[in-house]
Amino acid sequence: MCEDFQHDRDILSESKRIVIKIGTSSLTYENGRTNLRRIGTLVRVISDLMNQGKEVILVSSGAIGIGVNTLKMAEKPSSVAGRQAVAAVGQCNLMQIYSQIFSDYGYNVGQLLLTRDILERSDMKINTINTFNELLDLKIIPIVNENDSVAVDEIKFGDNDNLSYVVATLTEADLLVILTDIDGYYDKNPESPDAKLYHNVYDLSEEIEKAAGGAGSKLGTGGMLTKVHACRLAAERGINSVIVNGSDPRVVFDIIDGKDIGTLFVARK
Ligand code: GLU
């Protein structure tokens, strides 16, 4: 294994196909309303990357979060049917926002709502891959979410971190960027004063065990575990991935410029 820190960062500039994942907490304010400023910046960043000749796929959550806001509900419905209905409304609204802002930069978007059974049925899997490739050939930005309105437990991806890894694999992406509200992957609860951020990660299995070991660790319960898991799988499939604070989505430019930012899970060579 070759551990050449800066080289492994610099190589990210060569990434042609990039999957960017953004979660609900990054798309909405704490009061539940849509963070249009952040979405606007994200769309501008993606449009500029497309202008550079890169191919970008966006995996975006927010169907339920934005649906709750659209319908002026105080909180998520407790019933499955209620949440699935809210997702149906929120997904429309989310796509309308993306579509409108992307059109300001001359780009069209295409929506893909996926369920896990695309991985089990080879015909569906092939069609999904072909759709991604066709959209990208047409310079259209694919925007992906789980199909929350029809998914049942058996065919759920469960979380969009996992979904983003699946999309990166299906599309043979070079880079997966997971935008979140923490600066990256820490060796222990990031609130501990001596918590250390991992910059480049090469040997994940050992580190994952250490971090997940501490009882009550935020890494295990605060959404970091699913991200790290997605990145480990991506690394095994030869895809570089970065977990980074996406409060300013322009951070994606820094990653591509090889800056030491967030945690890079170096693809297995
Ligand atoms: N698919 C869900 C939504 O759009 C979010 C799932 C996740 O963020 O992991 O609301």
Side-chain angles (χ1 to χ4, degrees):
M1 189 177 6
C2 153
E3 295 187 14
D4 182 344
F5 186 93
Q6 194 52 48
H7 172 264
D8 290 323
R9 288 278 175 172
D10 288 341
I11 219 150
L12 300 183
S13 66
E14 291 167 20
S15 310
K16 161 95 171 139
R17 193 169 276 192
I18 303 166
V19 175
I20 299 176
K21 185 257 166 180
I22 189 157
T24 305
S25 64
S26 301
L27 297 171
T28 52
Y29 288 107
E30 272 182 25
N31 64 12
R33 294 196 165 218
T34 311
N35 189 330
L36 292 169
R37 180 177 176 167
R38 189 167 294 144
I39 296 176
T41 308
L42 176 69
V43 168
R44 194 179 164 91
V45 166
I46 293 173
S47 300
D48 192 75
L49 292 171
M50 296 286 289
N51 286 351
Q52 291 175 33
K54 298 193 183 291
E55 297 173 329
V56 185
I57 298 163
L58 176 62
V59 175
S60 176
S61 307
I64 295 174
I66 288 183
V68 165
N69 181 45
T70 306
L71 297 172
K72 303 197 179 354
M73 292 174 162
E75 55 190 26
K76 272 194 231 178
S78 53
S79 70
V80 173
R83 286 195 297 276
Q84 293 194 310
V86 164
V89 173
Q91 184 64 28
C92 279
N93 203 345
L94 182 64
M95 287 307 292
Q96 198 247 334
I97 294 167
Y98 280 128
S99 171
Q100 195 178 349
I101 311 179
F102 270 113
S103 75
D104 290 345
Y105 300 105
Y107 284 104
N108 288 307
V109 298
Q111 170 184 260
L112 281 96
L113 298 179
L114 303 180
T115 43
R116 177 167 280 286
D117 46 351
I118 57 153
L119 300 178
E120 278 130 39
R121 281 193 44 186
S122 62
D123 51 348
M124 281 173 82
K125 185 172 169 179
I126 290 166
N127 281 2
T128 306
I129 293 170
N130 290 344
T131 304
F132 273 119
N133 287 332
E134 194 70 25
L135 288 169
L136 292 169
D137 281 351
L138 293 166
K139 310 268 175 260
I140 295 168
I141 294 120
I143 302 185
V144 188
N145 197 355
E146 173 137 41
N147 195 344
D148 294 311
S149 295
V150 304
V152 291
D153 283 344
E154 290 70 30
I155 56 164
K156 259 189 193 163
F157 288 100
D159 63 81
N160 277 10
D161 297 317
N162 181 25
L163 175 61
S164 68
Y165 151 72
V166 170
V167 169
T169 312
L170 286 178
T171 58
E172 297 178 6
D174 304 298
L175 175 64
L176 166 64
V177 179
I178 298 185
L179 300 174
T180 184
D181 50 9
I182 302 176
D183 290 347
Y185 176 44
Y186 287 83
D187 63 342
K188 52 172 74 102
N189 186 333
E191 279 164 20
S192 308
D194 59 340
K196 212 169 73 300
L197 179 77
Y198 287 111
H199 295 255
N200 285 16
V201 172
Y202 294 89
D203 179 10
L204 192 52
S205 51
E206 214 179 285
E207 281 163 331
I208 229 179
E209 277 166 27
K210 264 195 277 164
S217 156
K218 273 221 166 162
L219 293 165
T221 53
M224 188 49 77
L225 200 58
T226 54
K227 290 173 181 51
V228 170
H229 187 65
C231 291
R232 178 168 68 79
L233 295 177
E236 281 169 11
R237 300 295 291 263
I239 301 166
N240 285 303
S241 52
V242 181
I243 298 176
V244 68
N245 193 324
S247 57
D248 183 345
R250 287 176 298 181
V251 76
V252 178
F253 292 138
D254 294 334
I255 290 164
I256 291 168
D257 287 344
K259 292 199 183 135
D260 174 15
I261 194 157
T263 304
L264 165 64
F265 296 78
V266 181
R268 199 160 285 176
K269 289 159 187 130

